[in-house]
Amino acid sequence: GLQHMAHQRWLMHSVCTQPAAQACSMRSLSWSDEVDTSRCSLCRAITKDVYTMTRMSRHRPTTRRDASFAAMKLRLGDVCDELALHRPLPAGDQEHVLVECKILVKDLQSKFEMLLLNRTAMFARNFCNEEVQLCPWELSTLPHADDGLNPGDKEEL
């Protein structure tokens, strides 16, 4: 609860004070659009959050047997509870979105765990359309992506 929120604020502060991380431009803070109960929308939100989590974590598991994989897997379990930290949830429908999110994570647990091992922007961008086939196209905007493919990346060079 409170301790977790304080940790989130500390995390944002510690990342925001490192200009090289470019984590605090307004574009990075607007993780994504509002999420709804569709599986595509939920998959995209979860993927963005898991990708961001792996980018900011010191853990770099390469197999499911790595000790750090267990720690990351625990964090994956919190992804639905933290959806609202990064995007607006639809008014009056938050509970439904969270329930659907938890169902999706449970249904596709081993697939989402692949994001903990393959931490590339390309895998995350194409996860919902290719890996789990819930969306018609890839993610055009991926927070903290290091591949230079987000809209607006070109202008900053």
Side-chain angles (χ1 to χ4, degrees):
L2 240 104
Q3 202 174 11
H4 180 72
M5 285 173 61
H7 175 72
Q8 287 290 332
R9 275 199 302 276
W10 172 85
L11 190 67
M12 279 311 288
H13 173 74
S14 59
V15 171
C16 291
T17 52
Q18 299 170 28
Q22 292 184 334
C24 299
S25 68
M26 282 317 287
R27 196 182 71 229
S28 294
L29 287 177
S30 58
W31 253 235
S32 74
D33 308 319
E34 184 177 282
V35 66
D36 61 44
T37 56
S38 77
R39 288 196 140 206
C40 175
S41 172
L42 285 166
C43 181
R44 288 171 176 263
I46 293 163
T47 300
K48 287 178 180 184
D49 290 1
V50 172
Y51 178 78
T52 300
M53 179 179 81
T54 62
R55 293 278 295 153
M56 301 207 164
S57 175
R58 66 180 189 277
H59 297 302
R60 298 276 181 259
T62 53
T63 72
R64 291 172 189 266
R65 290 184 304 278
D66 288 355
S68 60
F69 179 77
M72 294 297 281
K73 190 174 164 180
L74 275 176
R75 294 280 297 122
L76 179 61
D78 295 333
V79 75
C80 293
D81 294 326
E82 296 177 1
L83 270 187
L85 289 176
H86 309 298
R87 67 193 49 80
L89 297 184
D93 212 16
Q94 289 101 330
E95 199 57 42
H96 190 199
V97 168
L98 296 179
V99 167
E100 290 300 319
C101 179
K102 289 178 181 186
I103 291 169
L104 185 62
V105 170
K106 188 171 185 282
D107 288 352
L108 300 175
Q109 178 81 30
S110 64
K111 292 279 189 189
F112 282 118
E113 287 172 6
M114 292 165 69
L115 290 165
L116 304 177
L117 300 172
N118 184 342
R119 295 177 297 278
T120 64
M122 194 52 65
F123 185 69
R125 281 188 194 282
N126 292 289
F127 182 79
C128 294
N129 56 304
E130 289 180 2
E131 200 59 49
V132 294
Q133 300 179 347
L134 293 176
C135 297
W137 53 83
E138 75 277 359
L139 279 169
S140 60
T141 303
L142 182 65
H144 309 291
D146 54 358
D147 59 5
L149 297 178
N150 282 335
D153 280 355
K154 310 285 181 286
E155 300 144 28
E156 292 173 10
L157 296 175

